[in-house]
């Protein structure tokens, strides 16, 4: 019998300062949500000690909170924070369903349906990224993923994925590294070059060949 899955709770990040009047109340509410299991993890950053975080998170005022993909600034009620956490849980559930749907469609060669879904809602591309990063994804699905990336070659959507693809070039599975390097080449964006240059030293010869090919494509784009 399989073990029951762990309920999903989103993570949160809060930026504050020592002289912020509203920060203690928001922090207290977030701490309660962690204690109640409504949040899985809470990262708190004091901008007076880490001013660089203001630029990193593009924040102009505090308190500032991000729950899942949802950002809030200024004084917040516990109910408002809980609402964002619920939205994040709902999105995770939808993404989980989408993951299964995409896996099934791609494995059956129904790539057009997947592409149409992504064109209507670009956030659906994250389901493709999860399948790409999973060593358990079967070959027929991986072939479909390749077709999806071809459909978005040189688009802004693919360019936004460069950092995530760059992270996948560090994966222990050489198939995933190879795919990540290949799709970086499809970005037609020079910001992908540093990731590809690092791949010249990959221990797998086939991966190195893909790196070379992708660099050639980018330098002639």
């Amino acid at each position: 019998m399989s073990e029951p899955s762990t309920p999903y709770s989103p993570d949160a990040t809060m930026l504050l300062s020592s002289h912020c009047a509203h920060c203690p109340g928001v922090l207290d509410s977030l701490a309660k949500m962690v204690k109640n299991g409504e949040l899985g993890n809470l990262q708190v950053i004091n901008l007076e000690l880490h001013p660089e975080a203001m630029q990193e998170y593009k924040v102009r005022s505090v308190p500032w909170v991000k729950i899942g993909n949802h950002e809030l600034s200024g004084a917040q009620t516990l109910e408002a924070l809980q609402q964002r956490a619920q939205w994040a849980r709902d999105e995770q559930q939808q993404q989980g369903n989408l993951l299964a749907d995409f896996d099934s469609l791609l494995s059956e060669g129904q790539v057009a349906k997947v592409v149409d879904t992504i064109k209507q809602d670009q956030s659906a591309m994250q389901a493709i990224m999860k399948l790409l990063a999973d060593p358990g994804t079967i070959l027929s699905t991986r072939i479909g993923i390749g077709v999806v990336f071809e459909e978005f070659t040189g688009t802004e959507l693919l360019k936004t994925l460069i950092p995530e693809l760059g992270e996948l070039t560090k994966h222990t599975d050489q198939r995933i590294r190879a795919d990540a390097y290949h799709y970086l080449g499809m970005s037609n964006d020079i910001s992908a070059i540093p990731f590809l240059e690092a791949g010249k030293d990959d221990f797998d010869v086939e991966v190195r060949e893909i790196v070379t090919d992708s660099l050639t494509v980018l330098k002639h784009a």
Side-chain angles (χ1 to χ4, degrees):
M1 180 181 297
S2 60
E3 296 181 2
S5 59
T6 303
Y8 171 77
S9 292
D11 293 338
T13 299
M14 179 181 180
L15 272 58
L16 53 73
S17 74
S18 302
H19 302 93
C20 164
H22 298 297
C23 289
V26 174
L27 180 58
D28 183 58
S29 293
L30 291 170
K32 288 178 181 177
M33 292 172 67
V34 173
K35 183 178 179 180
N36 295 337
E38 295 169 280
L39 294 175
N41 181 60
L42 173 61
Q43 179 186 28
V44 181
I45 301 173
N46 189 325
L47 291 179
E48 293 173 29
L49 299 175
H50 293 281
E52 71 280 0
M54 181 173 285
Q55 179 64 30
E56 179 183 350
Y57 289 95
K58 297 179 174 60
V59 173
R60 295 183 178 181
S61 62
V62 291
W64 178 91
V65 177
K66 184 174 183 181
I67 300 176
N69 294 317
H70 303 280
E71 299 179 10
L72 305 112
S73 59
Q76 303 295 331
T77 64
L78 174 61
E79 290 73 22
L81 297 167
Q82 289 173 323
Q83 181 188 57
R84 270 50 173 202
Q86 184 59 53
W87 288 352
R89 284 191 292 273
D90 292 344
E91 289 163 0
Q92 178 70 15
Q93 180 62 44
Q94 292 168 5
Q95 191 176 84
N97 294 337
L98 196 60
L99 200 67
D101 290 343
F102 278 8
D103 188 22
S104 177
L105 289 169
L106 293 175
S107 67
E108 296 170 0
Q110 300 185 56
V111 181
K113 291 183 179 180
V114 174
V115 171
D116 286 344
T117 299
I118 296 170
K119 286 181 177 179
Q120 293 173 28
D121 179 6
Q122 293 193 349
S123 67
M125 191 68 177
Q126 285 303 310
I128 294 294
M129 293 300 292
K130 286 184 179 295
L131 288 170
L132 173 62
D134 187 347
T137 297
I138 62 175
L139 179 60
S140 56
T141 296
R142 290 194 178 279
I143 291 172
I145 290 171
V147 179
V148 170
F149 271 94
E150 288 175 5
E151 286 286 334
F152 292 99
T153 297
T155 63
E156 287 302 315
L157 174 57
L158 206 160
K159 291 175 184 178
T160 65
L161 298 175
I162 289 174
E164 291 180 71
L165 290 169
E167 282 300 310
L168 290 182
T169 63
K170 305 172 186 176
H171 204 284
T172 55
D173 191 312
Q174 64 89 13
R175 299 170 304 164
I176 295 174
R177 296 200 308 280
D179 286 344
Y181 283 125
H182 181 52
Y183 301 144
L184 283 169
M186 290 182 179
S187 69
N188 292 344
D189 193 300
I190 59 173
S191 66
I193 290 178
F195 293 113
L196 289 163
E197 290 286 352
K200 287 181 176 180
D201 296 325
D202 195 280
F203 64 84
D204 187 274
V205 62
E206 292 183 7
V207 172
R208 293 198 301 273
E209 289 174 357
I210 290 172
V211 168
T212 300
D213 291 343
S214 290
L215 279 170
T216 300
V217 169
L218 277 184
K219 291 176 180 179
H220 290 84

